[in-house]
Amino acid sequence: MRLTDIWRSNAKPTLSFELFPARSEKAAVNLEMTIDALAALGPDFVSVTFGAGGSTRQGSLQLLKKLKHEKGLEILAYFACYGLGPEEITAVLDDYLAIGVENVLAVRGDEPREGEFLPHPDSLAHASDLVAFIRPKYDFCIGVAAYPEGHIDAPSVEQDLEYLKLKVDQGADYIITNYCYDNQFFFEFVDRCRQAGIEVPILPGVMPIYSVKMMEMLAGMCGATITDEIRKGIAALPEDDKQALLAFGIEFGTRQCAELLQSGMPGIHIYTMDRSPSSLGIVQNLQAQGLL
Ligand SMILES: Cc1cc2nc3c(=O)[nH]c(=O)nc-3n(C[C@H](O)[C@H](O)[C@H](O)COP(=O)(O)OP(=O)(O)OC[C@H]3O[C@@H](n4cnc5c(N)ncnc54)[C@H](O)[C@@H]3O)c2cc1C
């Protein structure tokens, strides 16, 4: 089902999770358990990332197939066009079509950090070019990425918003945001979008706190602000106590998501990092509160 139809017909906000393909046999076993644990929460859809340069092409496809055909879940296939030529882009999209994908998220991707990768000379420069490429050829429900605090390379949030508007004008049907730990960034971003004439659904992405190291690393990569509330909360926990950090992250994540849902957002999209305990804790709390 198309995500825009789900949002139109659902009485409640949607619940969705992001997964990435496993990179080892051990990770594959863990991923299988994660999928089963998350599926039991009844998500409206599950998304799968795509490694820039096509690095996870087969892995992403196999995972999408499993989620849809073995687990019976609605799927959203991400697609990052970085470095790929028109024929490679068409081949991936045709693969998606063949396994029954209806929803894609069209992103640019970034230069792969490992190995040597030579971009195709006709590769696309921006996600807006990818949306323009897909729209006339495929009947996918197309989403695009956005950044409540601004994309890390953008000269300004205003400029970033103009490029987001371009992606929507080229035919994007919905937006999924990067995470932020302060909902105020998110609310102000949605206001700016609406003022700029961006009318499509905007689904907030949520990143639970998994470990201090991962939180710092990811925030450094995308420019997300780690709030004083989080820093103080973590500083007050017993050192190296993983259970205490998990409980803190679940409590914080529950409050953050509850506020997003109570403010009328179309749902929450949780970046699971292929782990289930944080998502389980947060979602079970929200379900107990009748918010999902
Ligand atoms: C929800 C979500 C899912 C993601 N999934 C993946 C994934 O599966 N695989 C992956 O590799 N990465 C993924 N990413 C990361 C994403 O690829 C990076 O953040 C990337 O740096 C930007 O992608 P984009 O689609 O936003 O690019 P763009 O929209 O092209 O924007 C990139 C930068 O260029 C600027 N820009 C945009 N258009 C123009 C223009 N016409 N002229 C000049 N500047 C312009 C923007 O302001 C921004 O600074 C995801 C991000 C999010 C938020």
Side-chain angles (χ1 to χ4, degrees):
M1 192 172 180
R2 298 169 81 86
L3 299 192
T4 44
D5 289 338
I6 296 180
W7 285 311
R8 250 191 298 274
S9 59
N10 258 29
K12 283 196 165 187
T14 54
L15 167 66
S16 51
F17 299 112
E18 179 190 279
L19 297 170
F20 51 76
R23 294 191 191 100
S24 67
E25 275 182 32
K26 191 173 164 222
V29 174
N30 173 60
L31 177 58
E32 189 73 31
M33 289 191 294
T34 298
I35 293 169
D36 289 339
L38 297 178
L41 296 170
D44 295 277
F45 65 93
V46 177
S47 69
V48 173
T49 62
F50 183 93
S55 57
T56 67
R57 179 174 166 185
Q58 284 310 319
S60 297
L61 192 67
Q62 293 313 318
L63 179 54
L64 286 162
K65 237 177 171 168
K66 177 197 279 278
L67 293 168
K68 184 169 175 72
H69 299 294
E70 281 177 36
K71 307 291 180 182
L73 296 165
E74 189 51 74
I75 50 172
L76 161 60
Y78 291 1
F79 178 56
C81 65
Y82 179 86
L84 302 180
E87 285 171 13
E88 293 162 303
I89 295 175
T90 303
V92 174
L93 296 173
D94 286 349
D95 281 349
Y96 282 175
L97 211 51
I99 62 162
V101 167
E102 287 182 81
N103 304 294
V104 295
L105 185 84
V107 299
R108 183 195 66 184
D110 295 303
E111 194 176 340
R113 272 169 290 160
E114 293 151 22
E116 283 201 10
F117 179 80
L118 213 56
H120 190 286
D122 297 327
S123 59
L124 305 174
H126 298 290
S128 51
D129 303 322
L130 179 60
V131 177
F133 181 93
I134 300 173
R135 185 84 283 171
K137 297 188 180 75
Y138 296 88
D139 186 29
F140 291 126
C141 183
I142 305 173
V144 289
Y147 307 83
E149 298 185 61
H151 183 263
I152 190 143
D153 299 332
S156 66
V157 285
E158 290 77 19
Q159 188 85 64
D160 207 32
L161 190 67
E162 278 178 33
Y163 294 132
L164 177 61
K165 173 93 167 54
L166 180 62
K167 296 197 266 196
V168 175
D169 290 345
Q170 295 288 12
D173 299 298
Y174 64 96
I175 291 166
I176 301 184
T177 76
N178 192 28
Y179 68 94
C180 47
Y181 289 119
D182 180 345
N183 284 342
Q184 207 47 42
F185 286 121
F186 188 75
F187 297 139
E188 286 168 12
F189 167 73
V190 173
D191 284 348
R192 283 200 304 277
C193 284
R194 299 312 183 213
Q195 278 162 21
I198 297 172
E199 304 288 352
V200 298
I202 302 175
L203 182 63
V206 175
M207 179 71 80
I209 298 165
Y210 296 105
S211 75
V212 175
K213 195 174 160 197
M214 191 190 284
M215 178 178 73
E216 298 279 5
M217 184 197 67
L218 294 173
M221 280 164 62
C222 70
T225 303
I226 301 174
T227 59
D228 285 347
E229 182 195 352
I230 290 180
R231 290 201 185 281
K232 282 184 192 148
I234 291 176
L237 301 175
E239 215 169 306
D240 293 331
D241 186 335
K242 287 186 182 160
Q243 284 309 313
L245 184 68
L246 175 68
F248 173 79
I250 289 174
E251 191 275 327
F252 177 84
T254 302
R255 269 191 293 119
Q256 177 175 29
C257 291
E259 189 181 43
L260 289 170
L261 294 169
Q262 281 160 340
S263 73
M265 294 301 147
I268 48 165
H269 188 59
I270 303 184
Y271 299 117
T272 70
M273 306 306 281
D274 285 1
R275 301 163 184 214
S276 63
S278 302
S279 297
L280 283 177
I282 293 169
V283 172
Q284 283 166 349
N285 286 344
L286 296 168
Q287 288 176 335
Q289 292 173 33
L291 291 169
L292 282 173

